[in-house]
Amino acid sequence: MNNASNSLAAVRFEHVSRHFGEVRAVDNISLEIYDGEFFSMLGPSGSGKTTCLRLIAGFEQPSSGKIYLHGAEVSGQPPYERDVNTVFQDYALFPHMTVEQNVGYGLMIKKVPTAERKKRVSDALELVRLPQMAKRRPSQLSGGQRQRIALARALVNRPRVLLLDEPLGALDLKLRQEMQVELKDIQKRVGITFVFVTHDQEEALTMSDRIAVFNAGHVEQIGTPAEIYEHPASAFVAGFVGTSNLVRSDVAQKLTGRAQMFSIRPEKIRMVEIGTPVQDGWTALEGTVREVIYLGMFTRYLVALEGGGELTVVRQNLDETSMDVLSAEGKRVQLTWQRVFDRVLETK
Ligand code: ATP
């Protein structure tokens, strides 16, 4: 890569590793985060996401490799000299200060004149839709409100990159879903690069322009939510993002005649009567419904295949009652899906 492409990226990792003794927390990662995008780092606990965020912020230094922020290499640069801000999961608000003092704290330290400080604090509170809370203390706010204040406190500094470490982790599901939409909306309005760490695949799919899927210190795949979901690059990604049926190559050989491991999403499989004619380009297999899991909006069926192995099928409960779906247990069925939805996988 030349310097011109460096300058396009808000963040660039070149073969970055961070080892703690024997632990390879981050292991030879190269990636680019574009200016103005909502980029998520998604992966299970311990996969190296937070360490990557801390490397960008400057709280950690790489064991090897180089990090660039907007084209400039930042080795050895302390956090306060980097044009980035972090929003932590626990919000880290000062309890003895009011909301507006909390939000304006960074500007006061930087000796921004009072009039400008007041204007910027009020703009930031407006942005997170909490202008009426200026005089309250953090203890007088709900979890979701505290989260927004933490966001306002970071945005008031107008960083070029905002780092968010599981910021919605402490909220209940409904509030978290609301905040996901709101965060994405705020990001679009301010145009700042957001780097968002989460282990929640739905959260990453909802908000991100692109997602990096982490596994054991390395990145398995980077892509848009649709690319990651529809074309998982590995068995790990197929299993971690959404639910997937992974069919091992030996089982695939018996079932479909092709000795290649593949994944097929449960919602792509249709469950029909045995003997239903099969169209060109479709796979058809017979099996027995081993278990029915009724989930209100939809039902999950576990089907044991005659040729070995098991597939999960998901069907929306459009016309069936709960009685109908539950009576499917033990029934012999035919499963069909379009072969274009098979994803041949490499194991890494
Ligand atoms: P989580 O979702 O649980 O926060 P994560 O994907 O963010 O996980 P990291 O916090 O980056 O993962 O940790 C990656 C690995 O590095 C883990 O095995 C962790 O125990 C280890 N690790 C992180 N920081 C240190 C440290 N300061 N000293 C030793 N090991 C560390």
Side-chain angles (χ1 to χ4, degrees):
M1 289 280 172
N2 56 29
N3 284 335
S5 74
N6 276 352
S7 65
L8 289 179
V11 179
R12 180 171 155 78
F13 274 35
E14 242 178 43
H15 302 289
V16 172
S17 295
R18 178 66 173 112
H19 299 165
F20 299 101
E22 292 293 292
V23 181
R24 293 162 175 254
V26 171
D27 199 14
N28 193 18
I29 287 184
S30 295
L31 57 77
E32 274 191 355
I33 301 173
Y34 308 139
D35 207 12
E37 81 173 330
F38 197 122
F39 188 91
S40 291
M41 296 180 172
L42 170 69
S45 185
S47 58
K49 313 174 299 286
T50 298
T51 304
C52 274
L53 216 61
R54 292 173 59 79
L55 284 163
I56 299 172
F59 298 129
E60 295 284 351
Q61 295 294 331
S63 310
S64 59
K66 287 183 176 160
I67 297 174
Y68 299 83
L69 294 180
H70 303 100
E73 218 229 306
V74 291
S75 298
Q77 204 177 63
Y80 58 85
E81 282 179 14
R82 301 186 183 198
D83 204 355
V84 300
N85 260 95
T86 308
V87 178
F88 298 99
Q89 181 176 357
D90 61 4
Y91 318 138
L93 296 173
F94 300 120
H96 58 286
M97 290 186 190
T98 64
V99 162
E100 65 184 354
Q101 286 167 340
N102 261 288
V103 175
Y105 183 76
L107 301 179
M108 196 180 74
I109 297 294
K110 283 191 209 152
K111 301 203 165 41
V112 172
T114 313
E116 187 191 337
R117 198 166 76 219
K118 281 200 160 150
K119 168 87 175 68
R120 279 169 67 175
V121 168
S122 128
D123 287 351
L125 289 177
E126 201 73 52
L127 191 67
V128 298
R129 295 198 280 134
L130 284 178
Q132 70 283 17
M133 302 287 172
K135 302 288 177 209
R136 292 213 192 162
R137 285 181 201 281
S139 60
Q140 298 167 311
L141 302 175
S142 71
Q145 290 166 341
R146 275 200 283 263
Q147 172 48 244
R148 282 178 218 205
I149 299 305
L151 188 63
R153 193 177 57 173
L155 288 170
V156 81
N157 296 312
R158 300 182 185 153
R160 288 181 80 184
V161 179
L162 189 66
L163 309 174
L164 302 109
D165 194 358
E166 304 249 7
L168 310 182
L171 307 180
D172 65 52
L173 180 64
K174 197 152 184 289
L175 193 53
R176 204 157 74 216
Q177 288 171 338
E178 281 169 21
M179 281 299 293
Q180 288 168 6
V181 176
E182 200 163 318
L183 255 186
K184 174 74 190 169
D185 184 56
I186 289 173
Q187 190 267 340
K188 269 199 248 165
R189 278 189 281 151
V190 296
I192 293 173
T193 310
F194 274 33
V195 185
F196 188 92
V197 160
T198 181
H199 61 265
D200 181 334
Q201 41 112 359
E202 194 183 308
E203 193 158 282
L205 291 173
T206 306
M207 294 190 288
S208 318
D209 294 312
R210 289 189 310 144
I211 300 170
V213 183
F214 278 66
N215 179 21
H218 64 267
V219 171
E220 293 261 332
Q221 186 175 6
I222 298 181
T224 63
E227 281 164 359
I228 299 271
Y229 189 81
E230 291 177 8
H231 301 279
S234 65
F236 177 83
V237 176
F240 192 73
V241 182
T243 317
S244 223
N245 290 296
L246 293 179
V247 182
R248 288 200 328 256
S249 56
D250 54 328
V251 179
Q253 170 76 58
K254 271 196 274 172
L255 296 176
T256 64
R258 292 166 295 154
Q260 280 174 317
M261 174 166 170
F262 69 93
S263 75
I264 177 77
R265 297 285 183 192
E267 70 274 17
K268 298 294 185 202
I269 304 177
R270 295 191 191 174
M271 200 164 72
V272 295
E273 298 287 329
I274 295 270
T276 306
V278 183
Q279 293 166 263
D280 275 354
W282 289 63
T283 296
L285 302 170
E286 291 180 10
T288 304
V289 179
R290 188 174 68 76
E291 203 170 327
V292 179
I293 303 149
Y294 176 74
L295 294 163
M297 217 180 342
F298 55 89
T299 300
R300 189 177 298 141
Y301 301 86
L302 306 185
V303 180
L305 301 175
E306 249 126 74
E310 185 172 272
L311 291 182
T312 299
V313 181
V314 171
R315 282 217 298 202
Q316 221 185 322
N317 295 325
L318 286 175
D319 304 312
E320 299 95 333
T321 64
S322 56
M323 294 288 281
D324 294 336
V325 299
L326 290 168
S327 69
E329 200 163 303
K331 212 175 144 194
R332 287 195 62 231
V333 291
Q334 179 171 302
L335 300 183
T336 64
W337 67 89
Q338 295 189 58
R339 275 202 279 280
V340 291
F341 294 128
D342 288 358
R343 296 288 164 242
V344 174
L345 298 169
E346 294 167 31
T347 35
K348 285 190 182 165

